[in-house]
Amino acid sequence: MRAFRIRIRIRIAVGAALLLAVAGCTTGPSLEHRGEITAPPGDSRHLTIGSAGFTESDLLAQMYALLLNHAGYHTRILSVTNREIYEPALESGQIDVVPEYAATFADWLNARTHGPGARPVGSPDLAATMRALRALAAPRGLTVLDPGRAVDQNAFAVAASYAAQHRLRTLSDLGASGLPVRLAAGDECVERPYCEPGLRKTYGIDITGIDPKGVGTTPAKKAVQDGQDQMVLTTTTDATLGQFGLVLLADDKHLQNADYIVPVVNRSRAGAAGVTGALDKLNTVLTTRDLASMNEQVDSWRRLPEDVAGTYLKSKALIPSH
């Protein structure tokens, strides 16, 4: 099966020119006929899987490739680090499958369809988010497969010692404690509804200031570890929290959007039952914790994404162990 896994790395300067040129000669539905797609879903035996070029996306792409190889497809992986480039290539059929995040992709397609000022359609409600996402994807010739259990959402972490001292397990606990909190995050946190405004409104947390060290960066986590800040904005699949002595506080009132991982496919090339059946096998096994563990193996242990993905799928008996 390894012969089918041709890993292609295209850096943004080259990938942009290539895929934008390809998107110009699209094979997907024309703008005037979108919404009237009646052709049966396609089942091409040679599929290109897109990766957004970061560790988690690489891991998901590798798992998709291995599952599809096992189902009898020939696959290659194309890494392009810009959604503005790979999404049109997905529509055109130059990319057939990509791992995406439900709420983020729904809002991105919504802005592309209705303009940057469009009201967001992603929300903490997974069912509502999926309805909106599928309605936006279908006229573009895209099919969004079912989400599984894994979710990569924004999350907030504190020092484990701080959590133990103040008996904190949830963001509600932190709000009820009345403790002043300096938050390590990105500059945009002061206005994003899921960040400072949401923490104040939903949880009553006393945010005294934003330390602009970025989302989940090493300096941001180090600031919380050292006590300079009390909390850091990161993600639910952050693999390095333990290295800094940090723990996540549960988003018990569901402030964050439903960014569950979903495969998105080009309907005319990869919308048939064979692809769906192969990729759906991940839904019952892959968890947020599993994904965080695999991220750690690649980022901290320096293992190759394809090796980590293969080991995981074999451990779950989704592909043969030999």
Side-chain angles (χ1 to χ4, degrees):
M1 294 296 183
R2 291 185 66 88
F4 297 149
R5 300 211 315 267
I6 305 171
R7 188 165 185 78
I8 299 179
R9 289 281 182 184
I10 297 184
R11 293 303 164 202
I12 199 67
V14 177
L18 173 63
L19 289 183
L20 283 176
V22 165
C25 51
T26 177
T27 59
S30 64
L31 284 170
E32 57 269 27
H33 292 106
R34 283 174 178 167
E36 303 177 8
I37 301 170
T38 58
D43 193 24
S44 172
R45 309 311 291 180
H46 294 264
L47 300 173
T48 298
I49 299 165
S51 165
F54 57 92
T55 296
E56 187 167 290
S57 190
D58 285 346
L59 283 164
L60 290 163
Q62 290 289 346
M63 285 191 281
Y64 290 1
L66 287 165
L67 289 168
L68 289 167
N69 289 344
H70 182 55
Y73 293 87
H74 299 254
T75 65
R76 64 171 185 161
I77 293 175
L78 181 67
S79 183
V80 183
T81 59
N82 190 312
R83 187 179 278 117
E84 284 75 11
I85 296 170
Y86 73 67
E87 192 280 333
L90 181 63
E91 288 188 38
S92 74
Q94 300 304 309
I95 293 176
D96 302 301
V97 186
V98 294
E100 264 292 357
Y101 301 89
T104 296
F105 196 46
D107 284 338
W108 191 87
L109 286 180
N110 189 47
R112 188 169 179 224
T113 302
H114 299 114
R119 184 176 180 179
V121 295
S123 76
D125 185 330
L126 176 60
T129 297
M130 288 298 295
R131 284 195 298 271
L133 173 55
R134 283 171 166 156
L136 288 160
R140 296 180 176 276
L142 307 180
T143 297
V144 183
L145 305 189
D146 290 339
R149 300 160 63 189
V151 57
D152 188 350
Q153 295 170 305
N154 293 305
F156 296 91
V158 299
S161 57
Y162 181 84
Q165 178 185 356
H166 299 288
R167 299 182 179 181
L168 307 175
R169 292 188 302 171
T170 68
L171 290 171
S172 287
D173 291 340
L174 182 56
S177 73
L179 292 164
V181 174
R182 180 173 163 87
L183 175 63
D187 291 329
E188 69 279 3
C189 181
V190 296
E191 57 186 25
R192 294 288 173 87
Y194 66 80
C195 205
E196 181 181 352
L199 291 172
R200 291 181 181 278
K201 181 178 179 181
T202 302
Y203 290 108
I205 297 173
D206 180 15
I207 304 294
T208 60
I210 302 298
D211 187 0
K213 285 185 163 61
V215 179
T217 63
T218 294
K221 285 180 277 196
K222 191 74 166 57
V224 176
Q225 181 185 41
D226 295 343
Q228 176 184 341
D229 299 330
Q230 287 70 52
M231 189 161 68
V232 58
L233 170 62
T234 183
T235 66
T236 52
T237 58
D238 189 325
T240 64
L241 293 177
Q243 298 174 24
F244 295 89
L246 307 182
V247 294
L248 293 178
L249 295 182
D251 180 19
D252 54 308
K253 293 184 179 178
H254 307 292
L255 172 62
Q256 304 304 321
N257 282 346
D259 259 331
Y260 283 76
I261 292 161
V262 290
V264 182
V265 304
N266 177 289
R267 184 179 185 272
S268 66
R269 287 183 48 81
V275 171
T276 301
L279 298 183
D280 276 352
K281 291 180 179 180
L282 267 183
N283 286 356
T284 58
V285 297
L286 183 65
T287 65
T288 304
R289 180 173 294 183
D290 291 342
L291 202 48
S293 174
M294 285 190 277
N295 284 338
E296 181 180 25
Q297 291 176 56
V298 175
D299 291 337
S300 299
W301 304 358
R302 301 306 179 192
R303 294 186 62 196
L304 295 174
E306 52 264 43
D307 293 338
V308 174
T311 299
Y312 177 78
L313 294 181
K314 290 172 185 176
S315 75
K316 300 297 182 180
L318 295 182
I319 61 173
S321 58
H322 52 80

